[in-house]
Amino acid sequence: MIVLHPVLEILGTRGFDLWPVVDSATHDFLPLSGRLGTTEVGTAVMRIAECNDVDPADEDHPRRPADPLGGFLHGLLTMEDLFAAGGLRVTDTATGVTFLPGCCNGLDERLDWFEVLDGDGWACFGHDPAPLAERVGDAVRLTVDGDRAGSPVIELPATDLRRLLADAERDLADFHRSATEWTTRYVPDHAPAVADALARALGLPAPTGGPAGPTP
């Protein structure tokens, strides 16, 4: 069976104390859905804020607040272009082969999967490794590392991939609903702004309405 999940790249959470998170010191990928517990949602919000925790070299950009919470959320709440490290993870449970997003890939880049189905017929998803998806007739071939000869591959019908991509969008929308509820408890003074920023980072419609997300 082929399974597909939207995943967020987690680098570790040790030392973080602004809200409850999963205690981990290892690199991992967290599947996002509405089934996450409170600490898992907190871990995801932490990581997305961490991905955007930068100070732009722009004199007109708002200054970082002095308080720890406001300071940590500063980039998430003030940056125009937001990023959530990760992508889509595909696993063939029969063979154990797993296709993972590479470095520098973001969850907002999901539209590239539709280039495979309906556009140029191929797309890359990061580097180190260099995962590659290619349309081959009525099927899609997923190469775990396009830079390595003999790399493991996963093949599935294009119709199955289209269905799995729709399921992933529902998972992300469900996660965002859970995260929006989470914000009212753990960051109440910033709740609407954080919920809106999370939607933008994930490439989802804004809570108050806006352009459609990645699903065509």
Side-chain angles (χ1 to χ4, degrees), residues 73-200:
L73 295 175
H74 179 63
L76 183 67
L77 299 183
T78 61
M79 293 282 289
E80 181 176 351
D81 297 319
L82 298 176
F83 176 74
L88 300 182
R89 179 178 68 190
V90 185
T91 303
D92 184 337
T93 61
T95 64
V97 174
T98 298
F99 178 94
L100 285 166
C103 178
C104 302
N105 196 73
L107 271 159
D108 62 321
E109 299 177 66
R110 299 188 305 286
L111 273 176
D112 290 352
W113 284 91
F114 294 99
E115 283 295 314
V116 178
L117 292 172
D118 305 317
D120 293 338
W122 69 277
C124 296
F125 301 96
H127 57 89
D128 299 326
L132 171 68
E134 301 172 279
R135 181 74 181 256
V136 183
D138 293 331
V140 174
R141 178 183 298 133
L142 308 179
T143 303
V144 173
D145 187 354
D147 289 340
R148 179 162 65 93
S151 169
V153 300
I154 296 173
E155 291 197 8
L156 72 162
T159 53
D160 287 0
L161 177 59
R162 195 179 299 276
R163 173 182 54 80
L164 291 168
L165 292 174
D167 290 344
E169 291 303 312
R170 284 190 286 272
D171 280 341
L172 282 171
D174 290 345
F175 162 74
H176 187 259
R177 280 191 286 272
S178 296
T180 298
E181 294 175 4
W182 177 95
T183 63
T184 64
R185 178 178 179 184
Y186 291 100
V187 288
D189 293 340
H190 305 280
V194 170
D196 178 80
L198 292 174
R200 291 195 292 119

Side-chain angles (χ1 to χ4, degrees), residues 55-62:
D55 287 308
D58 180 355
E59 294 181 358
D60 296 328
H61 195 81

